[in-house]
Amino acid sequence: ADDWILWNGSSASVTTFVSPQPVEATDDAFWDQFWADTATSVQDVFALVPAAEIRAVREESPSNLATLCYKAVEKLVQGAESGCHTEKERQIVLNCCRLLTRILPYIFEDPDWRGFFWSTVPGAGRGGGDEDDENARPLAESLLLAVTDLLFCPDFTVQSHRRSTVDTAEDIHSIDSCEYIWEAGVGFAHSPQPNYIHDLNRTELLKLLLTCFSEAMYLPPSSDSSNTNPWVQFFCSTENRHALPLFTSLLNVVCAYDPVGYGIPYNHLLFSDYREPLVEEAAQVLIVTLDYDSSTSSSPTVDGTTTGTAMDDVDPPGPDNLFVNYLSRIHREEDFQFILKGVARLLSNPLVQTYLPNSAKKIQFHQELLVLFWKLCDFNKKFLFFVLKSSDVLDILVPILYFLNDARADQSRVGLMHIGVFILLLLSGERNFGVRLNKPYSVRVPMDIPVFTGTHADLLIIVFHKIITSGHQRLQPLFDCLLTIVVNVSPYLKSLSMVAANKLLHLLEAFSTTWFLFSAVQNHHLVFFLLEVFNNIIQYQFDGNSNLVYAVIRKRNVFHQLANLPTDSQSIQKGLQRKKKTPEPISRTNSQEGVSMEGSRPAAPAEPGTLKTSLVATPGIDKLTEKSQVSEDGTMRSLEPEASQLSPEGNPPTALSDGEPWSGEASHSRRDRRRLSSASSSGQWAPTPDWVMSWKSKLPLQTIMRLLQVLVPQVEKICIDKGLTDESEILKFLQHGTLVGLLPVPHPILIRKYQANSGTAMWFRTYMWGVIYLRNVDPPIWYDTDVKLFEIQRV
């Protein structure tokens, strides 16, 4: 379009614009060419306004860039004031919107410009005629308020409630935006007629909002939780009169979306879906507004201006971020049901693909959904309990296990692995989750795992085994988390299948080899976790678990070897030598790998060259969780944190940013150890006899040894008497056996519950913005700008 010619360098105006000579703000003819009413698209603007040009203007003629920004904001403010009744006004608003989306990242990347939007522009008020205090608003606030008004603008972004003629058009300042919520759901019963033009306009405005919020990407990660994002803070404050309807609109648009296309398979092939881009944008804006560190929530109160029956007024006032506040106060069962069903439907979408390929549109925003689900559970405990109250939680569990299994070999999806595991860790802190896992697993989602018949608990254990034995090496920091989840649910597992029982013993076998135990300072924790799993099941669920008891008896030598672990220097050195001869970290040969499920594809590594964003380290499991003891009546009480939570030797596990390999040549092992050792500051760590003794003496082997002492002779006798080599007879015997009165007194059940902390809050921030950065490719809003929150890497 000719109007953009000044960006292309072929006209006199480009020279005028880039030259240090400022153009007067009052020169409307000059500025209006930027948003004249030609029909462009956001993609056009990105193509016509190259990065080099924006940076050149920023360096050479800063006053012109400043004027362009505030003139564009002024146009948005005018559009919001007038209500955008004409096509021309709407076009100007959309063009200003696109232009600001294009320019803002280049303002954020330069520290000298960062305060620009928070300064007041002299004389650049709202068209001059308003009172002075209105004129004194920082540019950022004027921009955000105009965008929120425009998101509830009749005939532009919402359906008008009047018979439309220009004279009776609604005054944008007198409308109650709660009557214009975009979709039925939480706190709103009316589902407006779909209108694709409104959807497109909302999507463009939300893209601009997300770009405003993205200033966070240009600041390095910091553990200082007082680092609030000023854009989000203002947007989610009582200054935003549309906060409640906007929060509700975003949540409902996401949770009501059905990618199958009105429930008709293959429908998406016939009709273009204008909803999906809006749903993606809504999900991204929503999770960014909910970026809030709940571990520091002794926040100021909200002044009670919230309305709407969906929110509970009896709770104490929540944080001053209204979006977090509203989310934490949703309490009606039907609202919880709507949210849970919606999230489960969308998370299961990639699984549905596998039954009827291409029958439904495949959505790509499952990572945003997982962050949203995390926020819901973290900020709203009533929602968490609702999720766990019925077996609906399994509709969230199965897709998460599917994603974990599918992404285990792909380095570019390490963030997805973490969030999936974090959600399961959070859920596993509640007794109900363990109980729900006993439901038989009958859905046959094709997954690259051995075929088994059993429960959801079996599925979880088999997938975790697969991640540990055949995932890529950067998942090592997650092993503690994976096993903590299994420990948390183990007291409630009524009957493990033989496949799952063998997987658990295979893990113990792999983790208790001497080279593994002696090669890093915290590797023995994994053995402690597994022993705790066996003890919980034997003490609390012996009756239904003959498969596990049988597997323990068959692999009894592993337990004897642990009990007799050598502690002298010579044996320690010999154990470490063995590492050099064992290139394979965890051999899969002696684990009975069954045939994988029909229709499944093996987990694939990332395509070379795939972009990924770096993540900050996650806290060690001792920081992530706190121990609670389960009393006889089922209630939990928190235990005082001991000086060292997990590690008898007093070194809490260290978090790694990207786990070093388990295995590898000897040259690696020295680096691993330095990397893994929390004692690395005092030189290179090396295992000593005292160190081995310090934790060997605490291995909880009594219960298992007692079980073996009682049952092994009986099983051997049956085999000799009946000449049995057949498993089924032995299993039958074990099913009817009992150890009542023969085992040590049951230990109390210990649950390690997730606790909010600023380390995970920072991890979520880098992960969330990394996902948003990589997912916004059309147009590529942030590509090739100087982001500081994470690094962009190629696999």
Side-chain angles (χ1 to χ4, degrees), residues 153-156 158-164 168-170 180 198:
C153 183
D155 290 323
F156 180 51
V158 291
Q159 214 74 52
S160 172
H161 290 187
R162 305 234 179 130
R163 297 286 153 265
S164 181
T168 63
E170 291 123 305
Y180 290 86
H198 294 173

Side-chain angles (χ1 to χ4, degrees), residues 713-775:
Q714 297 182 6
V715 169
E716 284 177 341
K717 186 173 184 312
I718 295 176
C719 292
I720 293 163
D721 291 356
K722 302 196 171 171
L724 283 184
T725 47
D726 181 20
E727 282 186 2
S728 58
E729 285 293 324
I730 300 168
L731 284 169
K732 206 173 289 172
F733 162 72
L734 291 174
Q735 266 160 12
H736 299 108
T738 174
L739 290 176
V740 174
L742 297 172
L743 292 177
V745 178
H747 55 283
I749 296 175
L750 274 189
I751 300 292
R752 292 175 183 85
K753 286 172 80 89
Y754 168 80
Q755 57 173 354
N757 61 76
S758 49
T760 39
M762 192 64 232
W763 184 89
F764 271 97
R765 183 170 307 151
T766 52
Y767 170 60
M768 168 184 82
W769 279 114
V771 168
I772 290 171
Y773 176 97
L774 291 173
R775 299 257 302 103

Side-chain angles (χ1 to χ4, degrees), residues 131-173:
E131 318 83 73
D132 288 344
D133 61 348
E134 270 299 322
N135 292 345
R137 265 206 191 283
L139 204 50
E141 295 186 4
S142 303
L143 170 55
L144 290 172
L145 293 174
V147 171
T148 53
D149 277 344
L150 288 164
L151 285 168
F152 291 100
C153 183
D155 290 323
F156 180 51
T157 49
V158 291
Q159 214 74 52
S160 172
H161 290 187
R162 305 234 179 130
R163 297 286 153 265
S164 181
T165 60
V166 172
D167 12 303
T168 63
E170 291 123 305
D171 169 21
I172 196 153
H173 293 290

